[in-house]
Amino acid sequence: MKRKLTVGAALSATVILASAIQVGVGTAQAAPVGSHGKGSALQRAELKDIAQAYAPAVAKALGLGSAEALVAKDAVVDATGAKHLRFERTFGGLAVIGGDLVAHLAPNGKVTSVDRATEATLALPSLTPAVPAEKAAEKAKGAVQATVGVTIDEDQSPIKEVTGASAAKLVVWATSGTPRLAYETVVEGVRDNGIPSAQKLVTDAATGEVLSTHEQYLAAAATGSGKGVFVGSVTLTTNSSGSTYQLKDPSRGNMYTTTLANKTSGNGTLLTDTDNVWGTGQVSSAQSAAVDAQFGGAATWDYYKNSFGRLGIRNDGVGAYSRVHYGRNYVNAFWSDTCFCMTYGDGASNTHPLTELDVAGHEMTHGVTANTAGLNYSGESGGLNEATSDIFGTMVEFSANLAADKGDYLIGELININGDGTPLRYMDKPSKDGGSKDAWSSTLGSLDVHYSSGPANHFFYLLSEGSGAKTVNGVSYNSPTSNGSTLTGIGRDKAAAIWYRALTVYWTSTTNYAGARTGTLKAASDLYGATSAEYKAVAAAWSGVNVN
């Protein structure tokens, strides 16, 4: 059973500012105003406005300096009136990378606790950079240029060429080490396999040292019918336009699907049809992969809406779009925050599209993570980022309950990227893929994020299904524990609800595995009680993967 959240009257930020914020630390008060994911996009905006109205009180409660300001990113208001307000931070008007935090307020408006991405004090002596912006952009571009032809990440093709760089933007770096003045630059290019690259680099504004690099392209009415390569025969909601139908869904934020016709840039061409019957189920029909993609977007939308009341990836009622037939022989799929879109290659020989349902749910969940906790895509945080996508990609697959693609705890089991019929990842025992880890160790953060996701995926399986041998939907599993314990699962729906609340309420960009344990325990307590079987199961499942 999920905790029921109710919607109250939304109050304007003006009213809150004028009459609700009282003198004193953390004494701002307001009646319950809504709940995360419920109501219209307008109410979403109003909740964010209310979070911003509390920003001065939260800043005062934290003792932030006069140069610091909080900028509201999201808000969750429980049925009890308790508030969970997510903020980004600025210093001297500059964005602080790693300065994000979540403030937890009691129903009376008092700040009770805060989860911060960093505990470091921001005290920069000067906001004047030693390195000019133009030189910083050149250094960032040069850093990427130096990697041309070099394999940095086994899961990513090397950079083939660098095509340009954005202007360097002055920021404050606080993710690691002593907070310092830095530049953020996006360097664009193309990889050997044809995928576009847009690497966001953070460089020290005093020395030019590269502090961080992050690839932003992460390795999406009328009633019609379609036959996809993987989803089989499905119903599609489309848009009637004159005498034609568009593969566009007015009921789900106008999400739509385009074809790139083997190109590697642009928005693509919106797919249209005269009889509203799409695809044949064969790759020889260009519409078949598009059916998979459009259905995947709809299934992901429905899962988040029906499970958590979330209206789209950004929770603003706007649907993302999907691009199919990207490049030639492109064996990958990716989400991009920049275009707010999913992109799918056609795979080996252009006959193996990567449009499987759990792949769609996985990639679009990267967008959800970016718009909530914003987990960094490196170290242990990166592993949790990838696991979050695996977890909810799996939940989308179970939720859709398709005869052609039944729910399972295997990732990418139908696309056959390995060429031998094996899936990309196994949640019951991640090490079966040859690279992922079953349990946490102190060296986990040094692994590729697709492998460091293993303990979190394993935790989710154990929490959902328990340990030992089990068959689900005809698939056999046998999940061990690192401490030899025997565990009983609480069911995947409860496990997913706990993970989602931790992601949206407690985690920040730098959350590691220890923080994930703490956040999910808080979430379990919120949803089911601190003495509940669910709370105890969360603790036991983390111990089962050596996160104690």
Side-chain angles (χ1 to χ4, degrees), residues 463-504:
L463 184 60
S464 298
E465 303 291 347
S467 59
K470 190 170 189 177
T471 299
V472 180
N473 279 349
V475 180
S476 297
Y477 304 97
N478 196 348
S479 190
T481 56
S482 65
N483 58 1
S485 61
T486 299
L487 302 179
T488 300
I490 62 173
R492 69 184 75 92
D493 289 338
K494 286 184 176 181
I498 290 168
W499 194 273
Y500 180 81
R501 183 164 176 84
L503 176 75
T504 58

Side-chain angles (χ1 to χ4, degrees), residues 150-227:
V150 179
T151 299
I152 305 297
D153 182 340
E154 291 183 357
D155 285 335
Q156 286 187 329
S157 179
I159 294 292
K160 179 180 181 180
E161 63 174 329
V162 174
T163 58
S166 69
K169 181 176 72 173
L170 203 58
V171 297
V172 174
W173 172 258
T175 296
S176 62
T178 303
R180 69 196 82 174
L181 201 61
Y183 283 107
E184 186 177 80
T185 310
V186 176
V187 180
E188 296 183 339
V190 179
R191 295 186 180 274
D192 276 348
N193 58 5
I195 186 175
S197 172
Q199 295 188 56
K200 182 181 288 185
L201 280 78
V202 179
T203 54
D204 193 307
T207 66
E209 174 193 359
V210 176
L211 302 174
S212 171
T213 180
H214 167 53
E215 176 61 70
Q216 296 187 94
Y217 286 106
L218 302 182
T223 300
S225 62
K227 289 185 178 180

Side-chain angles (χ1 to χ4, degrees), residues 361-380:
H362 171 108
E363 297 298 346
M364 284 183 274
T365 294
H366 279 305
V368 174
T369 298
N371 284 279
T372 53
L375 289 162
N376 291 333
Y377 204 65
S378 61
E380 292 189 17

Side-chain angles (χ1 to χ4, degrees), residues 309-474:
R310 189 177 188 88
L311 297 176
I313 288 170
R314 291 189 299 235
N315 198 26
D316 60 358
V318 178
Y321 76 98
S322 299
R323 306 185 302 178
V324 295
H325 305 306
Y326 174 89
R328 294 185 181 277
N329 304 310
Y330 180 60
V331 189
N332 215 331
F334 58 89
W335 166 263
S336 169
D337 288 320
T338 304
C339 68
F340 196 59
C341 72
M342 264 299 303
T343 303
Y344 301 90
D346 283 327
S349 305
N350 288 323
T351 57
H352 296 79
L354 279 84
T355 48
E356 187 184 349
L357 183 56
D358 63 354
V359 174
H362 171 108
E363 297 298 346
M364 284 183 274
T365 294
H366 279 305
V368 174
T369 298
N371 284 279
T372 53
L375 289 162
N376 291 333
Y377 204 65
S378 61
E380 292 189 17
S381 302
L384 292 168
N385 189 320
E386 271 297 312
T388 297
S389 283
D390 281 350
I391 287 166
F392 289 118
T394 293
M395 292 305 297
V396 168
E397 189 177 75
F398 271 110
S399 176
N401 195 29
L402 295 176
D405 187 5
K406 292 182 178 180
D408 53 52
Y409 293 97
L410 309 173
I411 309 301
E413 71 280 1
L414 298 181
I415 53 178
N416 196 25
I417 280 185
N418 296 327
D420 57 4
T422 59
L424 288 174
R425 287 183 288 281
Y426 304 79
M427 299 184 82
D428 64 320
K429 190 177 181 182
S431 61
K432 288 170 67 175
D433 67 15
S436 295
K437 300 300 179 182
D438 293 334
W440 181 88
S441 72
S442 60
T443 61
L444 187 70
S446 64
L447 298 179
D448 177 89
V449 294
H450 296 88
Y451 298 146
S452 62
S453 65
N457 279 340
H458 192 190
F459 159 82
F460 183 78
Y461 178 87
L462 289 171
L463 184 60
S464 298
E465 303 291 347
S467 59
K470 190 170 189 177
T471 299
V472 180
N473 279 349

Side-chain angles (χ1 to χ4, degrees), residues 255-288:
M255 63 172 59
Y256 60 94
T257 298
T258 69
T259 175
L260 285 169
N262 303 125
K263 298 183 178 64
T264 57
S265 61
N267 295 332
T269 302
L270 178 65
L271 283 114
T272 60
D273 191 81
T274 57
D275 61 5
N276 213 15
V277 177
W278 306 80
T280 63
Q282 305 298 314
V283 294
S284 55
S285 167
Q287 289 186 352
S288 297

Side-chain angles (χ1 to χ4, degrees), residues 110-126:
K110 184 177 181 179
V111 177
T112 57
S113 65
V114 178
D115 293 305
R116 305 171 70 154
T118 180
E119 296 294 335
T121 300
L122 299 183
L124 280 68
S126 171

